Amino acid sequence: MKNTHIKTSLKTLGLISILTLSQTSCSDLLKENVISNISNDYIATTAGYNAAANAAYTTLRSFYGTERGISMSEYGTDIYSAGADGSYKGFHFYDSQLVGSVDILSQLWDETYKGINACNAVIERSSAVTGISDAVKKQRVGEMQYLRAHYYFILVQQFGPLDLRLKETLGPTKTATRTPEADVYKQIVSDLLAAIPVLESKAAASDYGRATKAAAENLLAKVYLTRASSKFAEASDYANAATLCNNVINNYGFKLLPDFASVFLQGSGEKNSEVIFSVQYTSDPLTNGASADQGNKLHLYFGMQYDVQAGMVRDIFYGRPFKRLKPTPYLLEKVFADRVNDSRYKKTFRDTWLSNSPGTYSNLFDGSKKSLTFKANDTTIYIPGYEMPLAERAKKPYQVLTPSMYNYALFPTLQKFFDPLRPDRTYENGSRDYIVHRLADTYLMLAEANLKLGKVAEATNAINMVRVRAAWPGKESAMTVAQDQVNMDLIMEERARELAGEQTRWMDLKRWNNLVARVKQYNTDAANGVADRHLVRPIPQKQVDLSENGGFPQNPGY
């Protein structure tokens, strides 16, 4: 079993305080019971306070590792376009389907504000809690400040000006106003600056999963980096981001793993020297939260339709393929062009399937042969990643899927999130943790900040740390770039190579102020629909409708 501890579930909302409480399931986790019909004073007790603080983490699972999160972070970018199936294609196409009535918009909005309110409640009520030392209370308040900042950072990137609530909401209200983005960012920065001094450098083994000083510094670095390219940037943003990235890299013992693929090993591999902060999942559905958010579901969305091909049926190992996200030609042909020196193409995409349904088949997409016979574990499908000639394909005792045959159902399959520990082949709720902050991302943020500061040598050193780690053995020198090669184009491509699928790309493009341009250039599905208004999402329509006196207008263009 993974040594994971902050695995909370959102079971009951207090009718007065909208306060969330938690439970956990495994014997080595924090011990909290499911509480229902609670009194409003329960949080003032030791048990209630601890439960409320733990439960504030639950909202992370409404965005990370979910369909709504992937829809708002990878769909409709320069590296991913629409696959054959799936809901929420408005986020791919930027068309009339992207409106305020889409349910995942209101779900993210509601769940994130619940998390914010839980943070507010713990922060405000800490002074009245007895039976807990001041040191522990300071630590918990710091965690809540990290979480509140994190939740507002998700919301402000997605929606723009927000209802900025810093006090516990004790009852229903229709009063809401839109606070300017600049002020929301100031509050995010303020929360993180307050949290950093009181948080532990690293969580103790018994408390793995809690926010730490390193996690807060890493988040604040990304906040500064994001604000630095905005209309309300402050002159010190890039320098502050670089300082914080250096702190995270140098002060806490984090190290890049020697092998890129090892970062995504399931089970014990999820807790490693590269992970700065992760969202905790488990195989227990009650612990994972509400039904819509049970489990890390990213294993579902990147798979191609292997399960109707010759020699194959759906199984647990190869996954349940929802065919939602198809890599763009730009990602495959430009970003991952170097496969001789760089191991990340091979380690990012699955290219081989072995037969789990032996027999003779004639239903072939590869027209170089009329039929094929497979024994168990014979290769049935191979994706070479280049246009293998017909005569060469004809000699292979399996189907060869070349780029000219890629379509909305057949394409290279991202394998970072596969979850073969699911109990059966149809089960959707994965148990693997979701990595939010990892060290390779920190190095790439450092490279970006230093490049913007004109510190090209420092930027080069940072980017080379990531590139050399990704090299095939013996190819390290070939993966090293010189200072005159380091520019924003390289950083944009390097982030795609390293972080493809990891819920970063849409926010990256927005930060670089080139979302529209790059989608038009590299994503043929979305090129005709994307426009400047899509730099923010539509506000959930019910939020607009329920706010008194027009206090919360819809974003322009929706």
Coordinates of all heavy atoms in Angstrom, one line a residue, residues 459-461 463-464 467-468 476-486 490 494:
A459 N 19.0 30.1 -17.3 CA 17.9 29.4 -18.0 C 18.4 28.2 -18.7 O 17.7 27.1 -18.7 CB 17.3 30.4 -19.0
T460 N 19.5 28.3 -19.3 CA 20.1 27.1 -20.0 C 20.4 26.0 -19.1 O 20.1 24.8 -19.3 CB 21.3 27.5 -20.8 OG1 21.0 28.6 -21.7 CG2 21.9 26.4 -21.6
N461 N 21.0 26.3 -18.0 CA 21.3 25.3 -17.0 C 20.1 24.6 -16.5 O 20.1 23.3 -16.3 CB 22.1 25.9 -15.8 CG 23.5 26.3 -16.2 OD1 24.1 25.9 -17.1 ND2 24.0 27.3 -15.4
I463 N 17.1 24.3 -18.0 CA 16.4 23.4 -19.0 C 17.2 22.2 -19.3 O 16.7 21.1 -19.6 CB 16.1 24.3 -20.3 CG1 14.9 23.7 -21.0 CG2 17.3 24.4 -21.2 CD1 14.4 24.6 -22.1
N464 N 18.5 22.3 -19.2 CA 19.4 21.1 -19.5 C 19.2 20.1 -18.4 O 19.4 18.9 -18.6 CB 20.9 21.5 -19.6 CG 21.2 22.0 -21.0 OD1 20.5 21.7 -22.0 ND2 22.2 22.9 -21.1
R467 N 16.4 18.1 -19.7 CA 16.7 17.5 -21.0 C 17.7 16.3 -20.8 O 17.5 15.2 -21.4 CB 17.3 18.5 -22.0 CG 16.2 19.4 -22.5 CD 16.8 20.4 -23.5 NE 17.4 19.7 -24.7 CZ 16.8 19.3 -25.7 NH1 15.4 19.4 -25.8 NH2 17.4 18.6 -26.7
V468 N 18.7 16.5 -20.0 CA 19.7 15.4 -19.8 C 19.1 14.2 -19.1 O 19.4 13.1 -19.4 CB 20.9 16.0 -19.0 CG1 21.8 14.8 -18.5 CG2 21.7 17.0 -19.9
E476 N 23.4 11.8 -23.5 CA 23.3 13.0 -22.7 C 23.9 14.3 -23.3 O 23.2 15.3 -23.2 CB 24.0 12.8 -21.3 CG 23.2 11.7 -20.4 CD 23.6 10.3 -20.8 OE1 24.4 10.1 -21.7 OE2 23.0 9.4 -20.2
S477 N 25.0 14.2 -23.9 CA 25.6 15.4 -24.5 C 24.8 15.9 -25.7 O 24.7 17.1 -25.9 CB 27.1 15.1 -24.9 OG 27.1 14.1 -25.9
A478 N 24.2 15.0 -26.4 CA 23.4 15.4 -27.5 C 22.1 16.1 -27.1 O 21.5 16.9 -27.9 CB 23.0 14.2 -28.4
M479 N 21.7 15.8 -25.9 CA 20.5 16.5 -25.4 C 20.7 17.8 -24.7 O 19.8 18.6 -24.4 CB 19.8 15.6 -24.3 CG 19.0 14.4 -24.9 SD 17.6 14.9 -25.8 CE 16.5 15.3 -24.4
T480 N 22.0 18.2 -24.6 CA 22.3 19.5 -24.0 C 22.2 20.6 -25.0 O 22.7 20.5 -26.1 CB 23.8 19.4 -23.4 OG1 23.9 18.3 -22.5 CG2 24.1 20.7 -22.7
V481 N 21.5 21.6 -24.6 CA 21.4 22.8 -25.5 C 22.3 23.9 -25.1 O 22.7 24.0 -23.9 CB 19.9 23.3 -25.6 CG1 19.0 22.3 -26.2 CG2 19.4 23.7 -24.2
A482 N 22.8 24.7 -26.1 CA 23.6 25.8 -25.8 C 22.8 27.1 -25.6 O 21.6 27.1 -25.8 CB 24.6 26.1 -27.0
Q483 N 23.4 28.1 -25.0 CA 22.7 29.3 -24.6 C 22.0 30.0 -25.8 O 20.9 30.5 -25.7 CB 23.7 30.3 -24.0 CG 24.2 29.9 -22.6 CD 25.0 31.0 -22.0 OE1 24.7 32.2 -22.1 NE2 26.1 30.6 -21.3
D484 N 22.6 29.9 -27.0 CA 22.0 30.6 -28.2 C 20.8 29.8 -28.7 O 20.1 30.2 -29.6 CB 23.0 30.8 -29.3 CG 23.7 29.5 -29.8 OD1 23.3 28.4 -29.3 OD2 24.5 29.6 -30.7
Q485 N 20.6 28.6 -28.2 CA 19.4 27.8 -28.6 C 18.2 28.0 -27.6 O 17.1 27.6 -28.0 CB 19.7 26.3 -28.6 CG 20.8 25.9 -29.6 CD 21.2 24.5 -29.4 OE1 21.9 24.1 -28.5 NE2 20.6 23.6 -30.3
V486 N 18.4 28.7 -26.5 CA 17.4 28.8 -25.5 C 16.6 30.1 -25.8 O 17.1 31.2 -25.7 CB 18.0 28.8 -24.1 CG1 16.9 29.1 -23.0 CG2 18.7 27.5 -23.8
L490 N 11.7 27.2 -27.5 CA 12.2 25.9 -26.9 C 11.6 25.6 -25.6 O 11.2 24.4 -25.3 CB 13.7 26.1 -26.7 CG 14.4 24.9 -26.0 CD1 14.3 23.6 -26.8 CD2 15.9 25.2 -25.6
E494 N 9.6 22.3 -24.7 CA 10.1 21.5 -23.7 C 9.0 21.2 -22.6 O 8.9 20.1 -22.1 CB 11.3 22.2 -23.0 CG 12.2 21.2 -22.2 CD 12.8 20.1 -23.1 OE1 13.2 20.4 -24.2 OE2 12.9 19.0 -22.6

